[in-house]
Amino acid sequence: MASTPASIPSFTGNANPYGGGDPWADYRSADLPFTHHANLADRTLGAGVIAANDEFFAQRENLLVPEAPEFDPEHFGHKGKVMDGWETRRRRGVSAEQPWPTAEDHDWALVRLGAPGVIRGIVVDTAHFRGNMPQAVSIEAVNWEGSLAPTPDELLAEGVKWTTIVPRTAVGGHAANGFEVTTEQRFTHLRVNQHPDGGIARLRVYGEVVPDPKWLAALGSFDVVALENGGQVLDASNRFYSSPVNTINPGRSRKMDDGWETARRRDNGNDWINYQLVAESSIRAIEIDTAYLKGNSAGWASLSVRASDDAEWQEFLPRTRLQPDTNHRFVLDAPVVGSQVRIDIYPDGGFSRLRLFGSLTTDGEAELAARHQELGG
């Protein structure tokens, strides 16, 4: 089951009506302990909102838009106020004598995660929904083991085992409502419930990708640090302008903030990212891409590898000059084996993507298979 520790503030009730000026001025938010993880509900990973029982006022797809929700107080359409989120109509009871919805009445949306994984935390963001947010939310999850792309009817069929990862909890309007998830299990889909109705601006699902070992074995050689294949960022020296997780996202960068950029250093140090590979791997080729970083790309980069947290780093790509807005490719003279890789950039700046092409070792294959089975895959 999920828990909401005391360290995570709980927002409830309406926010103040919008009174003009900056609509974000009274937005309620807090530092959350899980947002350094990747967003498993990212559209770039392939996430989608595949069904909802109602989307009368605002479309379900808005839940996963990567940008912050917008608010235009003068924007009205033929159904009413246009909101940047998922918003359902007001529920009603069954008669004049019982005009209120029952305690069980609720709206729902089905979300396909972009990559299956273990969920560490969820943000249900009600930004700009001040008096029209749900009274409460709950979230269930399932690990789909049937077809790769189940239909909504298949997911909602009797016999499908859903696990509650966020119990029914009151939420606040115009707030980032955070929930820590402690269920140690691999999931592929979510059912987001809002009680009894209302609107949610954005949904973020933070966690760790757990790939299918059979798929990676079929690929043979693949990017062993890619987020979609189970790589993750363990730590980074600086996150000032953008997240280091961007560097292992799918595809090439599309704009400057779709990479990693650090603050300007005023000392003789350097910046770095430490990655966990999907499992122990043999690396044979490298790409370091500085796409869209033109006057702020890193000047040089080096790569090191190690077997575990307490092992020594071994450099396998010496400090190498990087060009702005360029994809750099390197073929190694001999494969390099390890489970963690560190990139050091000099002196600061950034890059957009890191690709490490190779394959799992025999020990890596066994490690990944054991974890996949342990997590219910």
Side-chain angles (χ1 to χ4, degrees), residues 62-65 69 84-86 125-129 199-203:
N62 292 333
L63 281 173
L64 306 188
V65 171
D84 185 4
W86 168 50
D125 193 339
T126 57
H128 312 305
F129 288 88
I200 299 170
R202 297 289 188 267
L203 178 75

Side-chain angles (χ1 to χ4, degrees), residues 193-272:
N193 305 306
Q194 51 176 344
H195 307 268
D197 53 36
I200 299 170
R202 297 289 188 267
L203 178 75
R204 307 296 187 225
V205 183
Y206 296 98
E208 302 161 12
V209 175
V210 180
D212 183 349
K214 293 180 180 178
W215 173 252
L216 296 185
L219 292 179
S221 183
F222 58 93
D223 182 359
V224 297
V225 76
L227 178 61
E228 60 189 323
N229 293 332
Q232 58 180 302
V233 170
L234 294 178
D235 200 4
S237 61
N238 189 283
R239 302 168 186 259
F240 190 86
Y241 284 113
S242 48
S243 171
V245 175
N246 291 342
T247 63
I248 54 175
N249 273 343
R252 293 198 73 196
S253 173
R254 298 167 296 168
K255 51 194 174 84
M256 190 175 70
D257 66 350
D258 188 18
W260 177 56
E261 182 187 359
T262 71
R264 301 190 188 210
R265 297 190 74 95
R266 302 306 187 202
D267 58 22
N268 291 329
N270 73 282
D271 289 314
W272 51 268

Side-chain angles (χ1 to χ4, degrees), residues 230-353:
Q232 58 180 302
V233 170
L234 294 178
D235 200 4
S237 61
N238 189 283
R239 302 168 186 259
F240 190 86
Y241 284 113
S242 48
S243 171
V245 175
N246 291 342
T247 63
I248 54 175
N249 273 343
R252 293 198 73 196
S253 173
R254 298 167 296 168
K255 51 194 174 84
M256 190 175 70
D257 66 350
D258 188 18
W260 177 56
E261 182 187 359
T262 71
R264 301 190 188 210
R265 297 190 74 95
R266 302 306 187 202
D267 58 22
N268 291 329
N270 73 282
D271 289 314
W272 51 268
I273 304 175
N274 181 5
Y275 300 94
Q276 176 70 50
L277 307 183
V278 56
E280 185 182 77
S281 304
S282 177
I283 303 167
R284 294 185 289 275
I286 304 159
E287 285 188 359
I288 302 175
D289 195 351
T290 59
Y292 290 97
L293 292 158
K294 299 180 179 181
N296 49 357
S297 65
W300 293 262
S302 64
L303 289 169
S304 303
V305 66
R306 68 181 180 183
S308 61
D309 290 343
D310 53 1
E312 293 293 324
W313 290 106
Q314 301 294 324
E315 189 176 76
F316 66 95
L317 180 72
R319 196 177 302 186
T320 302
R321 188 76 169 92
L322 300 181
Q323 298 299 322
D325 198 26
T326 300
N327 192 21
H328 308 77
R329 290 180 171 176
F330 309 92
V331 177
L332 300 179
D333 294 333
V336 172
V337 174
S339 62
Q340 293 183 18
V341 165
R342 172 185 169 120
I343 186 168
D344 285 273
I345 63 170
Y346 300 88
D348 55 25
F351 63 97
S352 59
R353 296 289 188 271

Side-chain angles (χ1 to χ4, degrees), residues 8 32 39 48 57 123 161 198 208 251 261 295 303 339 352:
I8 298 180
L32 300 172
N39 177 19
F57 285 114
V123 174
K161 183 181 178 182
E208 302 161 12
E261 182 187 359
L303 289 169
S339 62
S352 59

Side-chain angles (χ1 to χ4, degrees), residues 92-102:
R92 297 292 184 251
V94 296
S95 67
E97 291 71 31
Q98 294 293 329
W100 308 279
T102 69

